[in-house]
Structure formats: C-alpha cells, structure tokens
C-alpha cells in the first residue's frame, strides 16, 4: 500500500501521515515535502546524515509504505533495506594513498559504528556513504574537517577538495553499480528521479 498525501480538509489523514514520519529519514523527507506539494511519481529520496535513509514515491506520486510486503521489496537493495545493504564502495582505493597511512585513519576505522566494533570488516550503505564515509575520505586524504581548519571559506574549500571529490566519486559508484540497476530497472514502482 502507498500512503496518499491527504487533502488539508481531512484532519484524521493528516494525523496518520504525521505518525508515519518516524519511519525513516528518506521517507520523512519525502512525506515532509508532500505536506506542501505532492511528490512526483518515481521520486527516490536519499537522506544523508549519520547514515543514509531512503524513501520513494510510487508511480502515482504516493509515498511507498516500507511496512508492507510490496513496499519492503520495492525499497530494498538485494533484499535488504537500502540503509543496511552490504556495499564495499571504492574507499579501499583511498587507503593506498601515502596520506592514509597515519594514525587518524587507523583510529577512525577502529571506532565502533551502529553497535559494531569493527564496522569496516563488513561495510554497508550507511557506513560507507553516511557521515563516517566523508570522515574516512577526510582522514585518508589528510584534509581538515569541515570548519576545523581555521582557514577562510575559500581556502578551506580548496584544502578539502580531494576528500569531497573522492566522497562524490564513491556516491557515483553506488548510484551506478547498486541504485540504478536495482531501483531504476523499469518495474512498476521504480525511481525515475533522485533527490538528496
């Protein structure tokens, strides 16, 4: 089933939609946007934060409910919800850089994440593409963290460019090797467009 954006004249429907907001970050953003404007059909909404949330509208523009059997299959990568789907990414290339041999990278990779003591042994979408992914890019390229350099905005942007570029390339890799083949494959409910 899909959740239809209710018209303002039906308060019971508005309450139902508000209660659904806690489902996941991606769905929450998609539903939040639908309070003003109905999402277009086939919109995949990726929410970046500590991890990666995902929500999608169906072929009519209604938000797909991940708690239904069809919805859980529609929003999955290899049968697993997108945020927890296995994904190795291309970050291992960064670890071969001379700048990646320092303590900063080792410390970051040894930190627990999502209740896992050694998260990088079995990487998944939220680890590699969420906040920890950009942190690893920063450490491996030995660039300052955002706002932590003491440089002006332009100098800091230039200093951070290698890490930002690497992180963007990792996202492109994910979209081309995982997301597009599995969620944009011409089925009834497929992502025809993406929003971050």
């Amino acid at each position: 089933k899909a959740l239809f954006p209710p018209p303002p004249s039906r308060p019971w429907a508005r309450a139902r939609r508000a209660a659904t907001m806690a489902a996941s970050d991606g769905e929450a953003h998609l539903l939040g946007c639908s309070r003003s404007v109905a999402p277009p059909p086939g919109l995949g909404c990726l929410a970046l934060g500590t991890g990666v949330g995902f929500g999608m509208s169906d072929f009519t523009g209604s938000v797909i409910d991940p708690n239904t059997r069809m919805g859980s299959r529609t929003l999955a990568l290899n049968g697993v919800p997108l945020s927890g789907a296995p994904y190795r990414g291309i970050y291992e290339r960064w670890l071969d850089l001379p700048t990646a041999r320092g303590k900063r990278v080792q410390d970051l990779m040894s930190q627990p994440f999502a209740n896992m003591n050694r998260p990088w042994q079995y990487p998944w979408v939220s680890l590699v593409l969420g906040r920890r992914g950009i942190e690893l890019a920063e450490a491996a390229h030995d660039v300052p963290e955002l706002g932590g350099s003491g440089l002006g905005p332009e100098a800091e942007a230039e200093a951070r460019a290698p890490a930002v570029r690497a992180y963007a390339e990792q996202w492109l890799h994910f979209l081309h090797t995982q997301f597009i083949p599995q969620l944009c494959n011409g089925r009834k409910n497929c992502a025809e467009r993406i929003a971050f």
Side-chain angles (χ1 to χ4, degrees):
K1 286 184 177 178
L3 299 176
F4 293 90
S9 61
R10 297 189 330 208
W12 59 268
R14 211 175 15 248
R16 177 178 166 204
R17 185 178 60 194
T20 312
M21 290 295 256
S24 90
D25 289 341
E27 292 148 359
H29 288 299
L30 194 56
L31 282 167
C33 293
S34 71
R35 288 179 184 257
S36 301
V37 178
L43 175 64
C45 185
L46 293 155
L48 308 179
T50 302
V52 177
F54 178 62
M56 193 166 86
S57 62
D58 67 10
F59 66 97
T60 68
S62 299
V63 177
I64 296 172
D65 185 352
N67 298 312
T68 63
R69 203 166 119 213
M70 180 185 272
S72 65
R73 284 194 311 253
T74 301
L75 301 173
L77 286 180
N78 296 318
V80 178
L82 184 137
S83 62
Y87 175 61
R88 291 212 66 84
I90 58 172
Y91 71 87
E92 290 174 334
R93 296 179 195 170
W94 308 341
L95 303 179
D96 293 332
L97 297 170
T99 54
R101 294 188 177 85
K103 185 174 176 358
R104 185 175 170 198
V105 171
Q106 291 173 355
D107 288 348
L108 182 72
M109 292 188 79
S110 65
Q111 290 176 9
F113 183 81
N115 296 323
M116 288 190 67
N117 288 331
R118 296 181 188 171
W120 294 99
Q121 284 186 331
Y122 304 102
W124 66 97
V125 170
S126 282
L127 173 72
V128 176
L129 297 172
R131 179 69 195 142
R132 192 61 61 90
I134 189 64
E135 289 172 350
L136 182 60
E138 291 167 348
H141 291 84
D142 196 28
V143 302
E145 294 177 18
L146 185 62
S149 67
L151 301 171
E154 289 151 13
E156 183 177 71
E158 188 175 324
R160 292 178 44 76
V164 172
R165 187 176 307 110
Y167 182 67
E169 287 171 359
Q170 182 150 268
W171 260 103
L172 287 172
H173 180 267
F174 169 75
L175 291 172
H176 287 284
T177 65
Q178 303 294 312
F179 190 89
I180 292 170
Q182 293 185 52
L183 295 169
C184 304
N185 63 2
R187 57 188 173 177
K188 183 177 178 181
N189 289 316
C190 66
E192 298 172 2
R193 49 190 69 79
I194 302 170
F196 288 86

